[in-house]
Structures are given as structure tokens and as C-alpha cells.
Amino acid sequence: MKTLIIARHGNTFAKGETPTRVGCHTDLELVEEERGRGVGLYLKKLGLVPTRILAAPLKRTMGTAALAAEAAGCTCPVEPDHRFIEVDYGPDENKTEEQVKARLGAEAAKAEGIDPATLSAEELDARGEAIIDKWNADATVPNGWKVDVQQIRDNWMSLASEVKDGEVMLCVSSNGTIRFAPVITGDYAGFCAEHDIKVATGGVCIFTSEDGTTWTCTEWGTKAFKKI
């Protein structure tokens, strides 16, 4: 049996802070340890102590991986892997969701042949929210974001092929990148139709394979810190 575990990093905004859309160009520290440790404790509870750990080379992902490794009792090092760094949100990098929706709403209005200045803030917000909803539903990339979808999918396929027999591999990444991981199941569209592909902070996704070719998702987006 081969096991690939994918986890999203912990929180980078404290309670009461206004979160922003944090991509590959914004390197924030974790503001808590509960979710990272929760990943490790949950995996230990399941008997899935990682034998190899990879993490995107950002403070939030490397930090989460280190916390998970310690909590699980792992002795293997955390290996930085740039393939699984967060996506580039372009003009929306480090902007609030309200700002993001306003920009995307204006872009959508222009595409419809409508002057954004003639629309209310609510109308622009609705258009922008619909675009974000598509991103969360089936990973349709909003205009302006720099996301190489095929490359990210290829990276996940490559990682799956690297898992050895009997190995339990953990990869810590981010929300924008993780949503493409189900491509390894061979039916990405079907997976999106059945699951919320937006994984919460500290969320755990587990894939297993008996032959190294056919991968099955046994858990998706489990909030590990609530399960221990």
C-alpha cells in the first residue's frame, strides 16, 4: 500500500484580524500551533506516521510541517519542495476578499460590455463572488491570477508516482495548490462535483494506492485538530 497525505498549513491571521488572499509572494508566519500539531496527532492516531515529509518553502507551510512531524513523532526531516508552493494571485495578492471581489466584478462587467462605474458596489460584489465561487467549485482560474494549471496538475501526478511501496508521504501545501491534487484520482471533474475542493487550514487529505497507478481519496479536508 502507498499512502499520500496532503495537508494545508495552519492559520496566518489571528482572531479579529482581517485576512487577505495570501499567495506565493506573501510569506507569513503561523499565528498558532494547534492546526499543525493537530495534523501530526491525527495521523499518529490513525497509525499513519509519515516516513517522508515535503513542504512548500514558505514559513507557514514549513512551520506546519515541522509541528506535524513533532506531534506525530517523526524523525525524518522536512524537505522543502517548490513544486507545491501557493499560487500567484497577481493583482489580488495580499488584498482583502472585498477588494478581490470588487476587482473581479469590474473585470466581469467589462467583459459583458458594461461600464463598471454604472454598477453599484453590491452588483460588482455579486459578479466577483460568482467568479470566486467557480474557483472554489472547479478551480476555474479568475482573470489576472498567474496559475499554470497544467503544471500544478503535473506536479501532483509526479509526486504520486514518487511514493514508494509501504511509504506514508506527507506534503504540506496551500489552498490554491491543494485543490488540484485530486487529479491523481483520474476523475478530477467527478471529484469536484462531489467535494468542496477548498480545504480549511489544518485540513488533511488522504490518498491511497495498491498499485501506484490508481489512487483513491479516503479523506478530504478533514479538520484534524477537531478529531484528536
Side-chain angles (χ1 to χ4, degrees), residues 19-51:
T20 58
R21 188 162 285 275
V22 178
C24 62
H25 297 299
T26 307
D27 197 6
L28 301 181
E29 298 273 6
L30 294 172
V31 296
E32 49 81 28
E33 297 186 352
E34 178 188 19
R35 284 163 176 74
R37 294 192 183 282
V39 170
L41 291 173
Y42 182 60
L43 295 180
K44 186 176 182 180
K45 179 180 178 180
L46 294 179
L48 294 175
V49 176
T51 53

Side-chain angles (χ1 to χ4, degrees), residues 52-69:
R52 187 182 181 196
I53 303 177
L54 307 178
L58 292 171
K59 294 173 183 176
R60 56 188 181 272
T61 39
M62 292 292 288
T64 298
L67 290 168

Side-chain angles (χ1 to χ4, degrees), residues 108-171:
K110 291 176 184 177
E112 296 171 32
I114 301 172
D115 181 355
T118 65
L119 299 177
S120 67
E122 290 75 17
E123 290 172 312
L124 291 176
D125 182 85
R127 282 172 168 77
E129 188 166 4
I131 294 171
I132 295 298
D133 286 345
K134 280 286 289 177
W135 168 244
N136 289 330
D138 60 14
T140 297
V141 180
N143 186 41
W145 294 6
K146 302 173 183 178
V147 183
D148 188 335
V149 173
Q150 190 58 54
Q151 184 61 64
I152 296 174
R153 291 185 172 192
D154 288 347
N155 290 341
W156 285 121
M157 292 296 292
S158 177
L159 183 67
S161 71
E162 295 170 17
V163 183
K164 300 175 182 177
D165 289 335
E167 187 171 47
V168 177
M169 183 185 290
L170 169 64
C171 178

